[in-house]
Amino acid sequence: MRPAQSRTTKLRLGTGGRVVIPAAFRDALGLKANEVLFARVENGEIHLLTATAAMRRAQAIVRQFVPEGVSLVDELIEERRRGAARRKRRG
């Protein structure tokens, strides 16, 4: 774990509700200017997620509902092939 990930830092709420994320935190996460972050409030805490972290979280949620050994990619490709075959038969 990098130092910025395990360190707590005091921040001040600025004008318009702005909070500056310290450089060490931005560097640890590889954040650049204008990068999109996702925020949620949970148990009185504000959680910020990078787009990559949010995608991993969404994938983990979906993975719970996919049976072992099933490939959603393979199922999607097969569905698309069947759709293309139906359209071809119709002319």
Side-chain angles (χ1 to χ4, degrees), residues 15 25 32 35 38 43-44 48-49 51 53 55 58 65 67 71 75:
T15 305
F25 285 57
K32 306 287 184 240
E35 189 149 351
F38 295 87
N43 298 321
L48 297 176
L49 287 87
M55 183 175 18
F65 302 100
S71 169
E75 286 189 4

Side-chain angles (χ1 to χ4, degrees), residues 24-78:
F25 285 57
R26 295 191 312 267
D27 292 345
L29 294 171
L31 296 174
K32 306 287 184 240
N34 297 314
E35 189 149 351
V36 172
L37 297 174
F38 295 87
R40 73 177 193 283
V41 175
E42 186 176 294
N43 298 321
E45 301 174 347
I46 298 172
H47 295 256
L48 297 176
L49 287 87
T50 62
T52 301
M55 183 175 18
R56 279 193 209 119
R57 185 176 296 251
Q59 288 170 334
I61 291 168
V62 170
R63 199 172 296 119
Q64 297 175 69
F65 302 100
V66 179
E68 186 72 30
V70 172
S71 169
L72 295 180
V73 171
D74 291 343
E75 286 189 4
L76 176 63
I77 290 170
E78 183 57 32

Side-chain angles (χ1 to χ4, degrees), residues 1-9 24-26 28:
M1 189 179 296
R2 292 180 244 184
Q5 290 177 319
S6 61
R7 190 177 78 208
T8 299
T9 300
F25 285 57
R26 295 191 312 267

